[in-house]
Structures are given as structure tokens and as C-alpha cells.
Amino acid sequence: MQRKSLNIQSIYHNYKIIPLFLCIALLIDYSLTFHFAGSSENILKYEFSPLLVYALENDFVIPYMLITASFYYFAAYAVLGLLHGNEVYPIGVAVILLMSITHVLGGLSWYVLKETYSSAVLTLSLISVIMTITLFAYEVIRSGNR
């Protein structure tokens, strides 16, 4: 048990690994979307992400997924790198993990097909946005008071 705790702590403190969770979650999301949607027409008609719809319409889904995953990784890496060692680092990790969970649940929404489920996934997404804005505002205010 002690070793497992040390492994989890080493992952938590490694801001190079945490962004990988978000990338993997994105790939799971889109894989589940294409698996459970049944057809491209369903995705075009019901998908929440306008960028995915655009990529599907223009037949560049795989490059879009790779570009998005790369952007997610480097953005999360940069943010966690700036926050590492700071008191708000845990909140940054929580936002990234919440976004990861939201992506996986979003992909599963094609299987569940319930409006309340989709609304819950959207709510989780909004919570991560609110947490991010709040964290940014806190850091701006705190750095202005130094």
C-alpha cells in the first residue's frame, strides 16, 4: 500500500504526466463517439463539438484529433509547469482531471442517450471552466498584492 501511495504521489507531482490523462481521455471520447453514434450522420446531427463536426464534414478527423490532443498536452503542461510548487497546483491538477473525466463521460453519452446525462456532462464541463477562471482570477489578484 505504501508503494502504491508513493507511485500516485509521484504521478501527481509530475506535471509532464498529468496532461497525458487529458490526451487519453480525448481519444477515448472520440473513439466512443464514433463507436456508439452509429453513423457519421448522427454525429453531424447531434454532436456538441462544432470543431469535431467541421472535421468530420471536411474529412480530417484523425489529424484534428492529433492536433487537439497535442494542443491539450502542451497547454496543460505549460499551465501545470507554471503552477508547480504553487499552492494552487492541486486545483490545476483537479481541473485537468475533471476535464478528462468529462471527456470520457461525453463519449459515453452516445451510449446512454439521455438528456439528463448529457446535461450532467455539460455541467461538469462548465464547472471546469468556472474553476479555471476562478483560479486565474485568484492568481492575478494574488500576484497584484505582492
Side-chain angles (χ1 to χ4, degrees):
M1 188 66 170
Q2 178 77 13
R3 181 164 170 79
K4 189 181 236 183
S5 176
L6 288 174
N7 287 339
I8 291 172
Q9 285 181 8
S10 66
I11 291 171
Y12 168 78
H13 289 290
N14 189 337
Y15 60 90
K16 296 173 185 173
I17 293 177
I18 297 293
L20 290 174
F21 289 99
L22 186 55
C23 297
I24 292 167
L26 174 80
L27 297 175
I28 290 170
D29 176 4
Y30 290 151
S31 297
L32 291 174
T33 296
F34 282 97
H35 179 73
F36 290 125
S39 69
S40 296
E41 290 78 28
N42 283 340
I43 295 172
L44 291 172
K45 189 174 180 181
Y46 298 109
E47 175 57 38
F48 182 73
S49 169
L51 291 176
L52 178 58
V53 170
Y54 181 80
L56 187 58
E57 288 173 338
N58 294 287
D59 200 30
F60 64 93
V61 172
I62 292 177
Y64 162 74
M65 287 173 43
L66 295 174
I67 290 167
T68 304
S70 298
F71 172 77
Y72 273 17
Y73 179 83
F74 290 114
Y77 172 81
V79 168
L80 289 180
L82 291 171
L83 295 177
H84 193 259
N86 192 311
E87 65 187 30
V88 294
Y89 178 77
I91 299 170
V93 171
V95 167
I96 289 170
L97 295 179
L98 181 60
M99 289 173 61
S100 301
I101 291 167
T102 303
H103 267 291
V104 173
L105 293 176
L108 287 172
S109 69
W110 287 95
Y111 177 75
V112 176
L113 295 177
K114 301 282 185 203
E115 187 176 341
T116 53
Y117 180 87
S118 294
S119 295
V121 172
L122 180 60
T123 301
L124 285 176
S125 185
L126 292 173
I127 289 170
S128 64
V129 169
I130 291 167
M131 286 175 65
T132 303
I133 291 169
T134 304
L135 176 64
F136 178 73
Y138 173 78
E139 278 300 303
V140 167
I141 292 168
R142 192 177 76 129
S143 67
N145 290 334
R146 287 188 207 171

